[in-house]
Amino acid sequence: MKDMNKDILKKGFSKLCTAKAMAELYEENFKQVSKYVHATSRGHEAIQVALGMQLLPQDYAFPYYRDDAMLLSFGLEPYDLMLQLLAKRDDPFSGGRTYYSHPSLKDDDKPKIPHQSSATGMQAIPATGVAMGMQYKELQGLNDTSIENPISVCSLGDASVTEGEIAEAFQMAALKQMPILYLVQDNGWDISANEAETRAQNAAEYAAGFHGLEAISIDGANFINSYNTIEKVIDTIRKERRPFLIHAKVPLLNHHTSGVRMEWYRDDLDEARSRDPYPVLRQQLLNNGFSELDVNYIENEAKQKVASDFKKALQAEDPKTEDLFTHDFVPTPITEERGTREPEGADKVVMVDCALFAVEELMREHKECLLYGQDVGGRLGGVFREAATLAQKFGDDRVFNTPIQEAFIVGSTVGMSAVGLKPIVEVQFADYIWPGLNQLFTEVSRSCYLSNGKWPVSMILRVPIGAYGSGGPYHSSSVESVITNIRGIKIAYPSNGADLKGLMKAAYHDPNPVVILEHKGLYWSKVPGTQTATSVEPSEDYVLPFGKAWVLQEIWKQDHVETLTIVTYGMGVHWAYNASGELGMRDQIEIIDLRTLFPLDEDTIMKSVKKTGKCLVVTEEPSNNSFARALAGKIQEECFKYLDAPVMTIGSENMPAIPLNSTLEQAMIPSTEKVKAKIEDLLNY
């Protein structure tokens, strides 16, 4: 095969030889490098290099864990990759925090690589979120028209295409016609399971079911064919702004990973070696005017570079203990309460409207702000009318419905944030959050930490929560104990409209991911005893920092009367306030409204409990193994010598679900009466 640009051929062969030399060096030094798990691109190099050489600095790429040849073709050095291989302090991707070939990169002269996990297929949704963000910026006139249109690239192994989240990504890319290329590298294997065992069709055949996603199958072991095909596809995506999938058949010539050796289970190694891309590309150079001497020189130069970089990487510094504690969050500019909480002459509004008006104000001021989720678009404006009129005011491109795809709703924010947008997204009920937890835990929450601070995910996830109006087992759950066990996100759970508006504004300006749990029973204050959830609407500039609890009922230290601290949040605030009032004990009971579950205002809690000597934690969740029970344990630990009784909790009954019948629902969840009884038990202890 002749007539290809010689500079392209030379560069492609050099990158292939470098990746090949790295794989061989790792095998030769297996004991030194096998402390941490790694995989190599051996057999996949041609297609990876053919793609990587054609991306521009404005493009976004999501390589997967076998893509070290692609990373080399972006301009990274073997030394850079080896620092990660050996988990060194100067690893440019993660500072020694994550595996080899798990990149995150924000260099001006290279394609941008947001952080992604190695959970196979998980990267498809964030990558598609990038493409959605690019499309949004073009529609809103926020894009840079002085440069070529950017594209998003998602690299996948064929086995990962069976993941359900891949379908969500493909569906949205096809539906919205997004500028994304899915490169599927098909080597016929999962780990030890082969394609005949695990796939009903290959990736191209699967993609054909998504109308509008054009799929092409190629021999990914042939560099020239791969390069030419990718060149045409990328050019089309840049001009026509629509999605493609390239299904590249390649051999796997090295172990699945360093810990799973190919000789343990492979029976096709001879056949695979017959499709090695290295001799093919080597011959292509000879066919295009390179001499044997030229080719040998390129190979030897690559080997020498790899050996030299490895020697240097071995000597590099390891992380220090204190490096563990950096980059879990980016500092937020909102550290103090600002603005007017109760403007003169302002109307009192229900809680749901405080949130609605906050989002409206944000969208009016910031074109980077958009809202999406199920049924939030113009026809309905949310099942709780929490997005009412927003689509009419800001257009269907800024406020829009998604399919029933919680994983996509949550995970796409990684990509949207990466291109500089601020998505506000919604899961319709807390009970529906479970499909989105994969993305929230693995991608959203860890991105800042595992990218060493390069890629914090700036997003807001709104979650209507709690039992209200006989919602039954699929519309009533409390999920905060699961959410609070995800480190790397901030969590608000306000009890009134003013707090919700102030926290919503703070969340928008926070560069980190925020989950806001909004109790459905407080939205309109229709539940008896929740009138105090309504508020005078704060001013537009009002912000309430995370991590500052509100002592809504403060008492003084009393030596001759039994006193009590109630620590609570959300609906629990109203049960506690009403219970203390009905008991006539407002001067004996201090009530702390947490406002945010993370960060948690421990200082305010401990100061109060040390003053009162007794503590009750009130939650709507079943209390066994809950956030509330963990908090009670923390209080007991910190305040033990000040306590006159054990720290107690009250929550819902420890049953698997909230029943539909209203009598059973009320038997399940706490109430003012139940909290009153618990208060009396604790005061009389």
Side-chain angles (χ1 to χ4, degrees):
M1 195 172 294
K2 298 184 179 180
D3 302 324
M4 187 177 199
N5 181 291
K6 292 183 72 171
D7 288 339
I8 292 173
L9 270 176
K10 182 179 179 181
K11 183 177 180 181
F13 186 62
S14 174
K15 299 299 181 186
L16 185 152
C17 288
T18 303
K20 176 174 176 287
M22 287 162 61
E24 290 167 351
L25 180 140
Y26 298 164
E27 280 298 291
E28 291 164 8
N29 296 273
F30 181 72
K31 288 191 176 179
Q32 272 183 299
V33 302
S34 61
K35 181 177 181 180
Y36 307 112
V37 174
H38 66 274
T40 73
S41 58
R42 192 69 192 92
H44 293 230
E45 302 99 331
I47 186 69
Q48 290 182 19
V49 173
L51 173 63
M53 286 173 59
Q54 300 189 61
L55 296 186
L56 303 174
Q58 62 264 37
D59 295 328
Y60 282 68
F62 289 74
Y64 87 117
Y65 59 82
R66 198 173 299 288
D67 281 346
D68 59 4
M70 188 185 297
L71 296 175
L72 292 171
S73 68
F74 288 170
L76 289 155
E77 298 293 335
Y79 178 69
D80 298 321
L81 305 186
M82 289 166 179
L83 288 174
Q84 190 173 49
L85 173 79
L86 301 167
K88 295 294 187 177
R89 192 180 198 212
D90 291 335
D91 154 29
F93 307 127
S94 72
R97 289 175 174 172
T98 194
Y99 301 103
Y100 179 72
S101 201
H102 285 58
S104 53
L105 197 67
K106 215 170 186 179
D107 291 357
D108 291 340
D109 62 342
K110 298 180 184 70
K112 306 301 172 280
I113 309 177
H115 165 264
Q116 64 180 25
S117 72
S118 60
T120 50
M122 293 280 288
Q123 68 270 37
I125 286 176
T128 308
V130 162
M132 187 161 76
M134 290 173 175
Q135 184 181 68
Y136 176 83
K137 290 174 77 171
E138 289 164 25
L139 290 168
Q140 297 297 318
L142 298 172
N143 58 319
D144 184 351
T145 57
S146 68
I147 57 174
E148 265 195 281
N149 280 332
I151 69 168
S152 180
V153 172
C154 178
S155 177
L156 299 154
D158 194 65
S160 70
V161 179
T162 58
E163 281 275 10
E165 292 186 6
I166 298 292
E168 295 193 18
F170 286 3
Q171 179 73 241
M172 284 297 286
L175 177 67
K176 300 288 188 180
Q177 290 294 283
M178 296 176 186
I180 186 167
L181 168 59
Y182 300 101
L183 171 65
V184 179
Q185 300 173 57
D186 182 3
N187 62 37
W189 290 92
D190 290 17
I191 297 179
S192 65
N194 63 32
E195 58 189 329
E197 296 174 76
T198 56
R199 288 166 244 167
Q201 66 282 305
N202 68 37
E205 293 163 341
Y206 181 59
F210 297 89
H211 297 167
L213 173 57
E214 187 170 339
I216 300 168
S217 286
I218 62 170
D219 175 8
N222 186 307
F223 176 78
I224 291 179
N225 282 355
S226 296
Y227 192 95
N228 290 338
T229 300
I230 289 168
E231 186 175 43
K232 290 174 186 173
V233 167
I234 287 179
D235 184 60
T236 303
I237 299 173
R238 291 202 197 280
K239 290 175 180 172
E240 299 180 14
R241 317 307 280 154
R242 60 188 177 95
F244 275 79
L245 181 143
I246 293 177
H247 168 242
K249 195 69 180 168
V250 292
L252 179 60
L253 301 180
N254 206 340
H255 312 292
H256 169 74
T257 65
S258 55
V260 183
R261 315 294 287 173
M262 58 188 172
E263 58 268 16
W264 294 348
Y265 60 90
R266 294 281 295 278
D267 55 8
D268 66 337
L269 288 171
D270 289 339
E271 187 277 333
R273 288 169 185 140
S274 73
R275 295 185 288 120
D276 188 341
Y278 159 69
V280 176
L281 182 50
R282 192 180 196 283
Q283 187 60 47
Q284 287 173 342
L285 262 71
L286 296 172
N287 293 346
N288 280 271
F290 288 86
S291 69
E292 190 73 34
L293 196 64
D294 295 332
V295 172
N296 289 339
Y297 180 80
I298 295 169
E299 290 182 286
N300 290 331
E301 190 176 44
K303 288 177 183 176
Q304 289 169 14
K305 171 68 171 170
V306 166
S308 172
D309 280 11
F310 183 61
K311 186 177 180 181
K312 187 167 66 165
L314 287 171
Q315 302 303 315
E317 184 182 14
D318 285 322
K320 300 180 185 301
T321 302
E322 57 265 29
D323 295 333
L324 174 68
F325 301 101
T326 60
H327 302 302
D328 50 344
F329 292 99
V330 175
T332 176
I334 308 298
T335 57
E336 298 295 334
E337 187 174 5
R338 295 201 307 265
T340 307
R341 185 177 173 95
E342 294 188 6
E344 285 187 32
D347 294 331
K348 212 170 190 183
V349 297
V350 293
M351 188 168 168
V352 72
D353 284 346
C354 274
L356 173 65
F357 299 152
V359 175
E360 181 178 338
E361 290 166 0
L362 289 166
M363 294 190 74
R364 194 165 58 233
E365 186 178 352
H366 305 282
K367 286 190 78 172
E368 301 81 13
C369 180
L370 69 161
L371 173 71
Y372 57 94
Q374 294 166 30
D375 298 304
V376 301
R379 288 192 194 91
L380 187 60
V383 295
F384 302 105
R385 306 293 288 154
E386 73 284 0
T389 73
L390 293 180
Q392 289 82 358
K393 290 175 179 174
F394 299 105
D396 294 335
D397 294 327
R398 292 189 69 189
V399 181
F400 56 89
N401 295 326
T402 65
I404 301 173
Q405 294 185 342
E406 287 82 10
F408 186 88
I409 291 168
V410 174
S412 60
T413 64
V414 175
M416 297 290 267
S417 172
V419 298
L421 301 174
K422 183 76 180 201
I424 301 174
V425 297
E426 181 182 304
V427 170
Q428 201 166 73
F429 291 89
D431 306 73
Y432 300 172
I433 201 171
W434 309 116
L437 284 184
N438 210 7
Q439 289 288 329
L440 186 64
F441 176 78
T442 311
E443 308 299 330
V444 174
S445 72
R446 296 178 168 193
S447 183
C448 185
Y449 187 68
L450 292 181
S451 70
N452 235 15
K454 292 190 293 295
W455 294 103
V457 179
S458 187
M459 58 85 86
I460 300 171
L461 172 60
R462 297 180 66 185
V463 185
I465 193 171
Y468 166 66
S470 297
Y474 305 111
H475 301 81
S476 307
S477 296
S478 294
V479 300
E480 60 264 29
S481 290
V482 173
I483 306 302
T484 51
N485 266 287
I486 301 175
R487 280 76 178 177
I489 58 175
K490 297 185 179 182
I491 305 157
Y493 200 151
S495 67
N496 61 78
D499 283 358
L500 178 52
K501 183 173 184 181
L503 291 167
M504 183 77 74
K505 290 293 184 77
Y508 183 84
H509 296 290
D510 197 313
N512 303 287
V514 174
V515 176
I516 302 182
L517 304 173
E518 305 173 19
H519 199 292
K520 305 188 300 293
L522 301 178
Y523 267 159
W524 301 284
S525 290
K526 290 182 179 179
V527 175
T530 61
Q531 291 80 9
T532 50
T534 62
S535 309
V536 172
E537 187 196 350
S539 62
E540 185 166 346
D541 64 348
Y542 180 66
V543 290
L544 187 61
F546 277 58
K548 298 285 179 74
W550 176 33
V551 184
L552 72 90
Q553 185 166 285
E554 189 170 8
I555 64 172
W556 61 97
K557 184 171 176 59
Q558 301 167 64
D559 294 326
H560 305 296
V561 178
E562 291 294 322
T563 55
L564 169 70
T565 296
I566 297 180
V567 180
T568 187
Y569 53 92
M571 184 63 82
V573 172
H574 302 274
W575 292 326
Y577 184 74
N578 295 333
S580 68
E582 290 181 18
L583 288 169
M585 293 182 173
R586 293 206 192 277
D587 58 352
Q588 290 175 254
I589 298 173
E590 187 152 291
I591 300 175
I592 296 175
D593 181 351
L594 292 177
R595 289 172 164 166
T596 64
L597 308 187
F598 191 87
L600 187 65
D601 187 352
E602 292 187 12
D603 288 345
T604 296
I605 297 168
M606 304 310 170
K607 181 181 176 184
S608 175
V609 175
K610 288 174 181 177
K611 174 173 63 177
T612 64
K614 292 182 177 178
C615 180
L616 174 64
V617 181
V618 178
T619 179
E620 187 173 315
E621 277 194 303
S623 58
N624 280 3
N625 306 311
S626 65
F627 165 79
R629 188 61 60 80
L631 177 55
K634 177 73 171 176
I635 295 168
Q636 189 117 314
E637 188 178 311
E638 294 282 324
C639 302
F640 183 75
K641 65 183 181 180
Y642 298 91
L643 292 172
D644 297 323
V647 178
M648 295 186 182
T649 60
I650 181 171
S652 290
E653 300 297 334
N654 292 294
M655 303 307 291
I658 297 177
L660 181 64
N661 178 274
S662 58
T663 301
L664 295 177
E665 179 188 64
Q666 290 308 306
M668 172 86 175
I669 65 176
S671 64
T672 297
E673 289 302 314
K674 291 177 185 178
V675 173
K676 280 166 60 178
K678 196 73 173 179
I679 288 171
E680 289 181 315
D681 286 347
L682 187 50
L683 287 175
N684 293 328
Y685 185 88

